[in-house]
Amino acid sequence: MTASQTAEITGIYRYPIKGLTPEPLPRIPLRRGETLPADRRYAIENGPSGFDPEEPQWKPKIQFLMLARNERLASLDSRFEEATNRLTIRRDGQIVASGDLETAAGRAAIEGYFTENFQPELKGPPKVLSGRDHSFSDVARKVVSIINLNSVRAIETMLGGTAVHPLRFRANLYVKGWPAWSELDRVGQTLAIGQARLKVVKRIVRCPAVNVDPETAARDLEIPPTLSRNLGHMDCGIYAEVIADGEIGVGDAIAVEEPTLV
């Protein structure tokens, strides 16, 4: 194999609780067949979903509180402590809920906040679900999501110069160095990051969640329709499966591996 078309990781994020605040990471281990550790480990069920923690199965995101429909989630500043499983939620700088998500009392404290404050959006009692080794991802397979920052810049141009915060796309990896939209042609290719290898398996079709500003919680843009008008599709970003273990970090190079010509 030969490596070519090098890019660079500019940011690594995981989302311990689906729909809530991303956690920036300087470095993280990748394991074959897994997501980033603790990525989407928890979700807040919006009415009965049938999810069984003893036999976890993928459920569509409509079953949970999520930004595509519940943009007010972006107004919450949440912090998850992996060592203690404690989630702390702040609103306007004040703690509004806190609890250990692996205890009944801790989950009840979080559920109580959403019961009291998200009533118009609730389809039933909100329930904190723990996925253990399961990931409450938007897709059924365990993947790492990647956003090309040059594609984000291209969207800004489509929008007449309007700034687009990259965290709207809630990716695990943000990269620079690839031409805009070139990542969409990487399906089937292998990405090399140090010892880690990731196989690109799918383009990401964007939903209305990307219309929500992650800082103001305002639904202020129309990104999927803009993509459709300009490109004929609503894809931005790619999903990749980890096929070889390795640790990755901000600043690491990403090379696209191609078969050696004989």
Side-chain angles (χ1 to χ4, degrees):
M1 302 285 281
T2 59
S4 65
Q5 304 176 36
T6 300
E8 179 185 324
I9 298 175
T10 64
I12 302 174
Y13 293 85
R14 67 180 172 190
Y15 305 79
I17 296 84
K18 186 176 184 68
L20 297 186
T21 306
E23 177 185 0
L25 301 162
R27 300 194 66 80
I28 197 162
L30 295 182
R31 296 291 178 262
R32 186 176 183 273
E34 298 296 331
T35 63
L36 268 63
D39 189 50
R40 276 89 173 182
R41 178 182 290 173
Y42 302 93
I44 303 168
E45 186 181 57
N46 187 6
S49 70
F51 180 80
D52 181 356
E54 298 302 322
E55 296 183 12
Q57 299 290 327
W58 181 82
K59 299 289 183 181
K61 61 185 175 183
I62 192 68
Q63 302 285 352
F64 313 111
L65 289 177
M66 43 96 179
L67 287 172
R69 290 195 173 184
N70 314 113
E71 63 266 27
R72 288 198 294 141
L73 293 172
S75 68
L76 304 177
D77 177 20
S78 63
R79 293 291 181 268
F80 177 70
E81 300 171 13
E82 189 170 7
T84 61
N85 301 309
R86 177 167 293 276
L87 174 66
T88 300
I89 300 176
R90 291 177 172 82
R91 178 75 190 271
D92 299 326
Q94 301 297 314
I95 294 177
V96 294
S98 184
D100 179 345
L101 299 186
E102 294 298 330
T103 69
R107 291 191 295 272
I110 301 300
E111 293 161 357
Y113 173 78
F114 285 99
T115 298
E116 294 175 11
N117 293 278
F118 277 69
Q119 197 60 45
E121 292 112 311
L122 296 178
K123 296 182 291 183
K127 182 179 180 181
V128 175
L129 300 179
S130 173
R132 301 181 184 177
D133 294 329
H134 177 75
S135 177
F136 293 98
S137 172
D138 286 353
V139 293
R141 56 211 303 180
K142 290 187 176 182
V143 291
V144 174
S145 58
I146 304 171
I147 282 288
N148 176 6
L149 290 175
N150 277 332
S151 297
V152 178
R153 301 289 84 80
I155 293 172
E156 291 179 336
T157 300
M158 294 176 187
L159 293 169
T162 299
V164 175
H165 198 307
L167 287 182
R168 286 177 183 263
F169 299 91
R170 296 180 68 78
N172 296 129
L173 307 183
Y174 290 88
V175 306
K176 67 177 183 180
W178 286 336
W181 309 119
S182 64
E183 72 279 11
L184 300 182
D185 297 324
R186 307 243 184 264
V187 176
Q189 296 181 337
T190 297
L191 307 179
I193 312 173
Q195 297 299 310
R197 296 293 185 272
L198 299 89
K199 184 175 182 179
V200 181
V201 295
K202 193 176 186 296
R203 291 156 58 146
I204 303 176
V205 181
R206 304 319 314 197
C207 73
V210 298
N211 295 331
V212 179
D213 187 300
E215 295 182 330
T216 67
R219 192 179 295 274
D220 57 358
L221 294 179
E222 294 290 335
I223 291 177
T226 299
L227 292 172
S228 183
R229 285 193 301 270
N230 285 269
L231 302 177
H233 59 71
M234 296 189 295
D235 302 346
C236 181
I238 49 179
Y239 288 123
E241 291 182 335
V242 180
I243 59 174
D245 296 358
E247 186 173 287
I248 65 171
V250 173
D252 284 357
I254 305 177
V256 179
E257 290 191 340
E258 298 175 350
T260 303
L261 297 178
V262 178

